[in-house]
Amino acid sequence: MSQPSQVPTTRRAAVDPKECSITGTLAAIGDRWSVLVLRELFYGVRRFNDIQHDLGISRSVLTDRLARLVEIGVARTEPYQEPGDRVRQQYRLTRKGVRLLPVLVGLMEWGDEFLSNGDPPVVLEERDSGEQVRLELRSTSGALVAPHQIVTRARRRRVD
Amino acid sequence: MSQPSQVPTTRRAAVDPKECSITGTLAAIGDRWSVLVLRELFYGVRRFNDIQHDLGISRSVLTDRLARLVEIGVARTEPYQEPGDRVRQQYRLTRKGVRLLPVLVGLMEWGDEFLSNGDPPVVLEERDSGEQVRLELRSTSGALVAPHQIVTRARRRRVD
DNA sequence: GGTCTGAGTTCGACGTACGAACTGAGGGGC
DNA sequence: GCCCCTCAGTTCGTACGTCGAACTCAGACC
């Protein structure tokens, strides 16, 4: 075929880009602000003005993102009422939203390692034990897997 | 304080948004195209035209993203040469880039579960054993941790 | 010299995100 | 009753990012 210097020369993805779940997830929540809003919800910030203040996001964009997150079922509104105040809406994650936590943890761990020099500004702990929580790649047999040991395989059909 | 219906009413993040590693990572690779380019590199697609064809990205944006990924040390260029052709550059992930794999896997697993109804178009396998690879949240003692059992704690300093 | 290919660059049109200011609904003070 | 407050969300003009298409450039082959 070809092997001019010593390069493996993979020319095309083994996977149809349209069939990859990454594409779909990015289409749903793959913009900067959506991810940051999700982070706020994970941190327990639930109110419009608090999120807007924390993130410095424009109000129009925040309105749009919250509506979108609710629309796709990642967040939901829930009424609340301060003592001398009318009923308002706050935002909380759904189970579907909580399942995005590994993505956020992945972003956090990478930033901790390469941007904060291994000195994490925030740590994740298990509520009861207080033990630190980390993200791990494991095979079905339970063994840790290094990232470079991983290969991809298309399950439906090859492209081209 | 306040507890009108039965709402916990967390008003502000326990974490300074500026000090969170998620913010930094998103600033580095947090746009849609960067993530998709990274996915291509993970899949082993290394050449400009191949990536451009797979993703349907405009050439100018791809040029910009590849340069950015190289600049921040996530990808690197590597010369290659087809038999009767001049030397050209291809792109490969660095170790720093490979460490972003958990983020991609997180995106993929969420899409598999909620967008593909648990029927994943692509599976990840360990190269040697062929066993399927999955992302897990575990505490330091090695126990699996459910996402809703996780709490965040700021390590440096609380905000206000 | 002419042509082919891969890897970009340039350019004008269009779309989306932005901040700032405005609206709207209900509660409280006086 | 009237004014003012807060929270939530909308409107609006501007600015920036993305797009496709066409162009450039370098080397190899004929």
Side-chain angles (χ1 to χ4, degrees):
Chain A
M1 210 105 308
S2 63
Q3 177 241 35
S5 45
Q6 86 280 30
V7 180
T9 305
T10 306
R11 290 188 52 89
R12 191 62 51 80
V15 170
D16 183 350
K18 301 289 161 39
E19 289 195 10
C20 172
S21 287
I22 293 176
T23 308
T25 305
L26 286 178
I29 53 100
D31 68 283
R32 188 177 154 67
W33 286 128
S34 292
V35 177
L36 287 172
V37 170
L38 284 171
R39 188 198 68 183
E40 289 295 298
L41 296 179
F42 273 122
Y43 281 174
V45 184
R46 295 174 184 161
R47 301 183 185 180
F48 189 93
N49 275 8
D50 291 337
I51 298 172
Q52 197 259 323
H53 173 270
D54 279 356
L55 298 183
I57 186 177
S58 85
R59 307 178 73 75
S60 53
V61 175
L62 179 55
T63 299
D64 179 80
R65 290 305 182 279
L66 285 170
R68 179 173 190 77
L69 292 177
V70 169
E71 186 188 347
I72 65 176
V74 161
R76 63 189 157 85
T77 56
E78 180 179 276
Y80 77 97
Q81 188 167 25
E82 289 289 334
D85 214 344
R86 66 168 164 147
V87 174
R88 300 180 191 280
Q89 297 295 319
Q90 63 182 353
Y91 295 86
R92 303 194 62 172
L93 291 174
T94 62
R95 175 179 157 281
K96 188 172 175 180
V98 171
R99 291 297 197 104
L100 280 165
L101 184 55
V103 176
L104 296 211
V105 176
L107 293 170
M108 187 183 296
E109 289 190 351
W110 190 86
D112 287 342
E113 180 170 0
F114 294 103
L115 305 176
S116 305
N117 297 314
D119 182 27
V122 180
V123 291
L124 303 179
E125 297 177 349
E126 189 179 17
R127 189 192 309 274
D128 298 330
S129 67
E131 287 182 349
Q132 196 169 337
V133 174
R134 291 189 24 89
L135 206 55
E136 294 178 350
L137 288 162
R138 285 185 185 255
S139 62
T140 45
S141 67
L144 273 174
V145 179
H148 64 271
Q149 286 298 329
I150 295 174
V151 296
T152 56
R153 193 163 61 84
R155 281 203 46 231
R156 293 174 193 274
R157 160 189 328 131
R158 292 274 321 239
V159 65
D160 91 342
Chain B
M1 207 103 314
S2 63
Q3 175 242 35
S5 44
Q6 86 281 27
V7 181
T9 305
T10 306
R11 288 189 52 88
R12 191 59 53 79
V15 171
D16 182 350
K18 301 289 162 40
E19 290 196 10
C20 173
S21 288
I22 293 175
T23 308
T25 305
L26 287 177
I29 54 99
D31 69 283
R32 187 177 156 66
W33 285 129
S34 291
V35 177
L36 288 172
V37 170
L38 285 172
R39 189 199 68 183
E40 289 295 298
L41 297 179
F42 273 122
Y43 281 173
V45 184
R46 295 174 185 161
R47 301 183 185 180
F48 189 93
N49 276 8
D50 291 336
I51 298 173
Q52 197 259 325
H53 173 269
D54 280 354
L55 298 183
I57 185 176
S58 85
R59 306 178 73 77
S60 52
V61 174
L62 179 55
T63 299
D64 179 81
R65 291 305 182 279
L66 285 171
R68 180 173 191 75
L69 293 177
V70 170
E71 186 188 346
I72 66 177
V74 162
R76 63 190 158 84
T77 56
E78 180 178 275
Y80 76 96
Q81 188 168 23
E82 288 289 335
D85 214 345
R86 66 169 165 149
V87 173
R88 299 179 192 280
Q89 297 296 317
Q90 62 183 355
Y91 295 86
R92 303 195 62 172
L93 290 175
T94 61
R95 174 178 158 281
K96 188 172 174 179
V98 171
R99 292 297 197 103
L100 280 165
L101 184 55
V103 175
L104 296 211
V105 176
L107 293 170
M108 187 183 294
E109 290 190 351
W110 189 86
D112 287 342
E113 180 170 359
F114 295 102
L115 305 176
S116 305
N117 297 314
D119 182 28
V122 179
V123 291
L124 302 180
E125 297 176 349
E126 190 179 14
R127 189 192 310 272
D128 298 330
S129 66
E131 287 182 349
Q132 196 169 338
V133 174
R134 291 188 24 88
L135 206 55
E136 295 178 349
L137 289 162
R138 286 185 186 254
S139 63
T140 44
S141 67
L144 272 174
V145 179
H148 65 271
Q149 286 297 330
I150 295 174
V151 295
T152 56
R153 192 164 61 83
R155 280 202 49 228
R156 294 171 192 274
R157 159 189 328 132
R158 290 276 319 243
V159 65
D160 82 344

